[in-house]
Amino acid sequence: QVQLVESGGGLVQAGGSLRLSCAASGSIFSINAMGWYRQAPGKQCELVATIISGGSTNYADSVKGRFTISRDNAKNTVYLQMNSLKPEDTAVYYCNAFIYIRRSGIPIGGDYWGQGTQVTVTS
């Protein structure tokens, strides 16, 4: 079994910073892309940022220049440093990863999600 456990959410004033972490654990063979998504009340889930195993990153236009995604492959952990937070960043943030596990010696890839962590930015 594979689990993604997020931490680091909370309440912060506009202009402040938070750092989210997401650690993958279990019978992991390898991890390809890791990323963060968010869902605000009444809105659809949206991509925030992704990072592949080689380190290339992709960001939503709304967070470029303010958020930084990084990963520690040795720890199977992805981070999201969020600076200059705005009230519109308020959402539940979900960690996502495409993870390969071994079944009968064969690597099988699948999409895994964390439980979500609340980020609230007050004005």
Side-chain angles (χ1 to χ4, degrees), residues 4-9 18-24 34 36 70 76-82 93-95 114-117:
L4 298 181
V5 179
E6 299 136 337
S7 61
L18 284 173
R19 189 190 193 212
L20 306 183
S21 300
C22 172
M34 303 185 82
W36 293 93
S70 61
N76 291 333
T77 299
V78 63
Y79 306 96
L80 185 68
Q81 177 66 43
M82 305 185 293
Y93 284 69
Y94 295 92
C95 173
Q115 79 284 0
T117 186

Side-chain angles (χ1 to χ4, degrees), residues 13-18 38 46 48-49 59-69 80-90 93 119 121:
Q13 285 189 327
S17 298
L18 284 173
R38 67 186 182 186
E46 63 174 355
V48 176
Y59 295 93
D61 287 342
S62 59
V63 306
K64 281 181 182 176
R66 300 187 298 121
F67 291 10
T68 302
I69 189 170
L80 185 68
Q81 177 66 43
M82 305 185 293
N83 298 329
S84 302
L85 283 161
K86 304 175 181 179
E88 51 263 45
D89 294 318
T90 295
Y93 284 69
V119 171
V121 184

